[in-house]
Amino acid sequence: WKVAFVGLLALLNCWHLFPHRIPLRRVNIGFKALNPPRGWEKLAEPPRLAAPSPGNKSLFVPLSDYMNVQYYGEIGLGTPPQNFSVVFDTGSSNLWVPSVRCHFFSLPCWLHHRFNPKASSSFRSNGTKFAIQYGTGRLAGILSEDKLTIGGITGATVTFGEALWEPSLVFTFAHFDGILGLGFPVLAVGGVRPPLDRLVDRGLLDKPVFSFYLNRNPEAADGGELVLGGSDPAHYIPPLTFVPVTIPAFWQIHMERVQVGTGLTLCARGCAAILDTGTSLITGPTEEIRALQKAIGAVPLLMGKYYIECSKIPTLPPVSFLLGGVWFNLTAQDYVIQITRSGFSVCLSGFMALDVPPPSGPFWILGDVFLGSYVAVFDRGDRKSGAQVGLARARPRGTRQ
């Protein structure tokens, strides 16, 4: 269910203790959304692998942001490290990157960085075939093993996928090279041990906890930060509200209710929701999302996207989510995706219909539109305590204390 950016890109084309940090940087491309990804890189220096903070076992990883619909950061694979931009995805559990051995007709491979096993002295062959199906893309390849460099630390050998066949349009136009899954082990294709678990196994992280701060300011150069091994209180306004994970596969929690202004109640008897950094929008069942779009005055466009008049943003109702007994409110400034280029603005609804069938669904997906307003702390827990997610309002950039 990676309901990400393909439809949005097509639409735009029509409109002409301190933990280890991984910074997320922003790339402003405006309406040149369908230019080849390698051309985009000339507009901004690629993020460097972050250095670890001394005296602790947490990592801070910078993230890049493409138009508020792609957040990604840099990792290294092999010895010496071969660098790749990856989406840190809480909705999956595998790590994969394109391979130099990819199929000749697999266009995404040729437009992105590719892993070369012959250039790594620590590479170990596995050879097991794998295939992954996302909501808007699929790929296939072979599993391999090598050293992972992330947030300035190395030493963990991970099993990752070398993508040999990427037939989906979504990966052709993606600014990232691959995906690093941060979901639970049960989701991992091929029974592979997820990268986060490998870091904890090797003692490179004290605990299986990580948090996301996504910068939604379109004028900012950086896209936010992924913190591995903990969280940074400077990213959010306390307190954190912790909600238990109900099914430890996706980061799934119970949502008590959704309120649109004062006149519309959705998820009235409670429903499931997953927090997914790999999904750009907020999604929900078709009938409920259709009612929500009507309540906020959104007009249907292409591929399930909805248009909103930018001038109406100050008058639109808030959309609120009841989680753990606390209301998490989004204003129209939060849930409307506004793109401005040369004085011309296009505004799109941050909501989209998606029906996930049983047994996995139905559920809502709280993607980047929600996670840009609220910092999420993902805690896998231990034998004594179960997994949980902590949520708090993100602190606006420039007001960190």
mmCIF file with all atom_site columns, all heavy atoms in Angstrom, residues 21 52 127 216 255-256 293 295:
data_model
loop_
_atom_site.group_PDB
_atom_site.id
_atom_site.type_symbol
_atom_site.label_atom_id
_atom_site.label_alt_id
_atom_site.label_comp_id
_atom_site.label_asym_id
_atom_site.label_entity_id
_atom_site.label_seq_id
_atom_site.pdbx_PDB_ins_code
_atom_site.Cartn_x
_atom_site.Cartn_y
_atom_site.Cartn_z
_atom_site.occupancy
_atom_site.B_iso_or_equiv
_atom_site.pdbx_formal_charge
_atom_site.auth_seq_id
_atom_site.auth_comp_id
_atom_site.auth_asym_id
_atom_site.auth_atom_id
_atom_site.pdbx_PDB_model_num
ATOM 1  N N   . ARG A 1 21  ? 21.601  10.219  14.328 1.00 0.00 ? 21  ARG A N   1
ATOM 2  C CA  . ARG A 1 21  ? 20.690  10.995  13.483 1.00 0.00 ? 21  ARG A CA  1
ATOM 3  C C   . ARG A 1 21  ? 20.948  10.741  11.997 1.00 0.00 ? 21  ARG A C   1
ATOM 4  O O   . ARG A 1 21  ? 22.077  10.643  11.559 1.00 0.00 ? 21  ARG A O   1
ATOM 5  C CB  . ARG A 1 21  ? 20.874  12.502  13.736 1.00 0.00 ? 21  ARG A CB  1
ATOM 6  C CG  . ARG A 1 21  ? 20.676  12.910  15.184 1.00 0.00 ? 21  ARG A CG  1
ATOM 7  C CD  . ARG A 1 21  ? 20.975  14.398  15.351 1.00 0.00 ? 21  ARG A CD  1
ATOM 8  N NE  . ARG A 1 21  ? 20.849  14.808  16.740 1.00 0.00 ? 21  ARG A NE  1
ATOM 9  C CZ  . ARG A 1 21  ? 19.756  15.330  17.279 1.00 0.00 ? 21  ARG A CZ  1
ATOM 10 N NH1 . ARG A 1 21  ? 18.692  15.509  16.544 1.00 0.00 ? 21  ARG A NH1 1
ATOM 11 N NH2 . ARG A 1 21  ? 19.727  15.674  18.554 1.00 0.00 ? 21  ARG A NH2 1
ATOM 12 N N   . PRO A 1 52  ? 28.148  9.669   14.033 1.00 0.00 ? 52  PRO A N   1
ATOM 13 C CA  . PRO A 1 52  ? 27.472  9.325   15.273 1.00 0.00 ? 52  PRO A CA  1
ATOM 14 C C   . PRO A 1 52  ? 27.797  10.326  16.365 1.00 0.00 ? 52  PRO A C   1
ATOM 15 O O   . PRO A 1 52  ? 28.868  10.925  16.382 1.00 0.00 ? 52  PRO A O   1
ATOM 16 C CB  . PRO A 1 52  ? 28.043  7.943   15.617 1.00 0.00 ? 52  PRO A CB  1
ATOM 17 C CG  . PRO A 1 52  ? 29.374  7.913   14.944 1.00 0.00 ? 52  PRO A CG  1
ATOM 18 C CD  . PRO A 1 52  ? 29.234  8.748   13.708 1.00 0.00 ? 52  PRO A CD  1
ATOM 19 N N   . GLY A 1 127 ? 22.065  -15.510 -3.061 1.00 0.00 ? 127 GLY A N   1
ATOM 20 C CA  . GLY A 1 127 ? 21.497  -16.042 -4.289 1.00 0.00 ? 127 GLY A CA  1
ATOM 21 C C   . GLY A 1 127 ? 20.043  -16.431 -4.237 1.00 0.00 ? 127 GLY A C   1
ATOM 22 O O   . GLY A 1 127 ? 19.453  -16.768 -5.270 1.00 0.00 ? 127 GLY A O   1
ATOM 23 N N   . ARG A 1 216 ? 7.757   19.778  6.946  1.00 0.00 ? 216 ARG A N   1
ATOM 24 C CA  . ARG A 1 216 ? 6.774   20.049  5.898  1.00 0.00 ? 216 ARG A CA  1
ATOM 25 C C   . ARG A 1 216 ? 6.891   21.462  5.329  1.00 0.00 ? 216 ARG A C   1
ATOM 26 O O   . ARG A 1 216 ? 6.085   21.868  4.491  1.00 0.00 ? 216 ARG A O   1
ATOM 27 C CB  . ARG A 1 216 ? 5.359   19.858  6.445  1.00 0.00 ? 216 ARG A CB  1
ATOM 28 C CG  . ARG A 1 216 ? 5.073   18.483  7.001  1.00 0.00 ? 216 ARG A CG  1
ATOM 29 C CD  . ARG A 1 216 ? 5.073   17.421  5.944  1.00 0.00 ? 216 ARG A CD  1
ATOM 30 N NE  . ARG A 1 216 ? 3.816   17.375  5.196  1.00 0.00 ? 216 ARG A NE  1
ATOM 31 C CZ  . ARG A 1 216 ? 3.551   16.490  4.251  1.00 0.00 ? 216 ARG A CZ  1
ATOM 32 N NH1 . ARG A 1 216 ? 4.473   15.600  3.922  1.00 0.00 ? 216 ARG A NH1 1
ATOM 33 N NH2 . ARG A 1 216 ? 2.410   16.503  3.611  1.00 0.00 ? 216 ARG A NH2 1
ATOM 34 N N   . MET A 1 255 ? -7.694  3.274   16.376 1.00 0.00 ? 255 MET A N   1
ATOM 35 C CA  . MET A 1 255 ? -8.135  4.668   16.293 1.00 0.00 ? 255 MET A CA  1
ATOM 36 C C   . MET A 1 255 ? -9.594  4.723   16.739 1.00 0.00 ? 255 MET A C   1
ATOM 37 O O   . MET A 1 255 ? -10.447 4.002   16.214 1.00 0.00 ? 255 MET A O   1
ATOM 38 C CB  . MET A 1 255 ? -7.966  5.190   14.867 1.00 0.00 ? 255 MET A CB  1
ATOM 39 C CG  . MET A 1 255 ? -8.319  6.650   14.698 1.00 0.00 ? 255 MET A CG  1
ATOM 40 S SD  . MET A 1 255 ? -7.564  7.362   13.180 1.00 0.00 ? 255 MET A SD  1
ATOM 41 C CE  . MET A 1 255 ? -8.377  6.399   11.890 1.00 0.00 ? 255 MET A CE  1
ATOM 42 N N   . GLU A 1 256 ? -9.866  5.588   17.719 1.00 0.00 ? 256 GLU A N   1
ATOM 43 C CA  . GLU A 1 256 ? -11.213 5.617   18.297 1.00 0.00 ? 256 GLU A CA  1
ATOM 44 C C   . GLU A 1 256 ? -12.238 6.340   17.428 1.00 0.00 ? 256 GLU A C   1
ATOM 45 O O   . GLU A 1 256 ? -13.412 5.975   17.387 1.00 0.00 ? 256 GLU A O   1
ATOM 46 C CB  . GLU A 1 256 ? -11.191 6.275   19.676 1.00 0.00 ? 256 GLU A CB  1
ATOM 47 C CG  . GLU A 1 256 ? -10.486 5.447   20.747 1.00 0.00 ? 256 GLU A CG  1
ATOM 48 C CD  . GLU A 1 256 ? -9.180  6.076   21.209 1.00 0.00 ? 256 GLU A CD  1
ATOM 49 O OE1 . GLU A 1 256 ? -8.225  6.084   20.411 1.00 0.00 ? 256 GLU A OE1 1
ATOM 50 O OE2 . GLU A 1 256 ? -9.120  6.544   22.351 1.00 0.00 ? 256 GLU A OE2 1
ATOM 51 N N   . GLN A 1 293 ? -13.917 14.202  1.776  1.00 0.00 ? 293 GLN A N   1
ATOM 52 C CA  . GLN A 1 293 ? -13.571 15.137  0.699  1.00 0.00 ? 293 GLN A CA  1
ATOM 53 C C   . GLN A 1 293 ? -14.711 16.130  0.457  1.00 0.00 ? 293 GLN A C   1
ATOM 54 O O   . GLN A 1 293 ? -14.471 17.332  0.231  1.00 0.00 ? 293 GLN A O   1
ATOM 55 C CB  . GLN A 1 293 ? -13.284 14.361  -0.603 1.00 0.00 ? 293 GLN A CB  1
ATOM 56 C CG  . GLN A 1 293 ? -12.193 13.304  -0.513 1.00 0.00 ? 293 GLN A CG  1
ATOM 57 C CD  . GLN A 1 293 ? -10.775 13.863  -0.516 1.00 0.00 ? 293 GLN A CD  1
ATOM 58 O OE1 . GLN A 1 293 ? -10.541 14.992  -0.120 1.00 0.00 ? 293 GLN A OE1 1
ATOM 59 N NE2 . GLN A 1 293 ? -9.829  13.040  -0.938 1.00 0.00 ? 293 GLN A NE2 1
ATOM 60 N N   . ALA A 1 295 ? -16.854 17.138  2.671  1.00 0.00 ? 295 ALA A N   1
ATOM 61 C CA  . ALA A 1 295 ? -16.939 18.039  3.824  1.00 0.00 ? 295 ALA A CA  1
ATOM 62 C C   . ALA A 1 295 ? -15.894 19.145  3.769  1.00 0.00 ? 295 ALA A C   1
ATOM 63 O O   . ALA A 1 295 ? -16.114 20.240  4.310  1.00 0.00 ? 295 ALA A O   1
ATOM 64 C CB  . ALA A 1 295 ? -16.798 17.246  5.119  1.00 0.00 ? 295 ALA A CB  1
#
